[in-house]
Amino acid sequence: MVGAFQGSGVVVTGAGGGIGAALARRFAAEGARVVVNDLDAERAKRVAEEIGGIAVAGDASGIVADARDALDGTVDVYCANAGVAFGDGSADGPLDETAWAASWDVNVMAHVRAAHALLPGWLERGSGRFVSTVSAAGLLTMIGAAPYAVTKHGALAFAEWLSLTYRHRGLKVHAICPQGVRTDMLAATGSAGDLVLQPTAIEPEDVADALFEGIEEDRFLILPHPEVAGYYQARAGAPDRWLSGMNRIQQQWEAAR
């Protein structure tokens, strides 16, 4: 893949650390001009300075225009990576509606808004690439984090819709669906993450490697944890058996708490 993105304009949201920073570094290493976006301006600036990119701070839902200007008018690749995760904080009980609203806005609607802004230009020239950082939770689920699991399903559904609707017009779409990745977000998942995600957690750089392998093979679904494919097949083929297995994990989590 060396040089495949030489001179390309790439935007990575939520790139002040974790998976986003790893993606930004990898695209820069491939010769791309990278806009590093993050709500935290200082974090965005640090990563941008490290890779010779351009920091554009702010909410991921509304940075396409500024990012396009920073890249002299052309965005070739958009990585919708920014995300939020809220845990229930208990084995039962409803979540605050503000957590649901924030999850929908960042995990789903930020992707929709970015695509809406970018599609006209991409379709006019017959090329563009949309990379959605989803999560294995979007293929499966996640205990103790209803808004995260539900909205990640939504993010995957939107990426699928983009791909099936526009692939014949030159749009490439990739959905990255890792399990645990050693980031601040994983640390914030608490005991549920410790039980389900920590044992097989990988580094953010492993996710970037998986994406570039998927790009080279022109694959939609990017699975940094290959075993997720088997879990996904089991879920589809025997949903009650799969749900019973997940319920056992739920009970294990409740007992540990």
Side-chain angles (χ1 to χ4, degrees):
M1 292 295 293
V2 174
F5 292 95
Q6 186 69 43
S8 295
V10 177
V11 180
V12 186
T13 66
I19 294 173
L23 295 178
R25 293 184 183 107
R26 182 60 184 271
F27 275 107
E30 298 290 340
R33 298 172 297 121
V34 181
V35 163
V36 178
N37 162 257
D38 201 273
L39 267 177
D40 188 322
E42 285 303 313
R43 285 168 61 112
K45 181 181 178 182
R46 283 197 297 270
V47 175
E49 289 177 347
E50 174 194 337
I51 66 173
I54 307 161
V56 176
D59 189 324
S61 287
I63 59 97
V64 170
D66 288 342
R68 186 189 284 123
D69 289 344
L71 293 169
D72 301 321
T74 302
V75 175
D76 299 292
V77 182
Y78 190 89
C79 298
N81 172 77
V84 294
F86 296 92
D88 287 346
S90 63
D92 54 11
L95 254 177
D96 190 319
E97 286 195 19
T98 58
W100 280 94
S103 298
W104 277 115
D105 193 62
V106 178
N107 294 347
V108 180
M109 291 309 299
H111 298 204
V112 175
R113 296 181 188 114
H116 178 74
L118 291 164
L119 275 169
W122 284 348
L123 298 178
E124 182 178 356
R125 72 172 190 256
S127 66
R129 193 179 299 271
F130 192 92
V131 179
S132 176
T133 300
V134 180
S135 168
L139 291 168
L140 306 169
T141 192
M142 179 59 191
I143 63 171
Y148 185 76
V150 171
T151 56
K152 287 300 185 177
H153 275 71
L156 178 64
F158 182 64
E160 289 174 336
W161 183 88
L162 283 178
S163 183
L164 69 89
T165 303
Y166 298 113
R167 61 169 47 206
H168 66 293
R169 299 181 64 181
L171 180 63
K172 304 288 188 181
V173 182
H174 309 280
I176 310 174
C177 296
Q179 292 194 110
V181 183
R182 296 186 184 97
T183 64
D184 292 343
M185 186 177 287
L186 176 59
T189 59
S191 59
D194 290 343
L195 176 63
V196 178
L197 302 175
Q198 284 284 7
T200 59
I202 59 177
E203 299 298 330
E205 291 75 18
D206 297 323
V207 178
D209 288 344
L211 172 62
F212 273 75
E213 289 172 8
I215 289 174
E216 192 166 17
E217 297 170 4
D218 197 23
R219 283 189 281 111
F220 167 78
L221 193 57
I222 310 298
L223 299 178
H225 293 80
E227 62 269 26
V228 169
Y231 303 153
Y232 191 38
Q233 290 175 337
R235 175 180 178 269
D240 286 296
R241 181 177 179 182
W242 179 81
L243 285 167
S244 293
M246 290 301 298
N247 179 252
R248 286 192 291 274
I249 296 173
Q250 171 73 19
Q251 293 180 59
Q252 183 181 352
W253 179 51
E254 291 178 17
R257 290 167 63 86

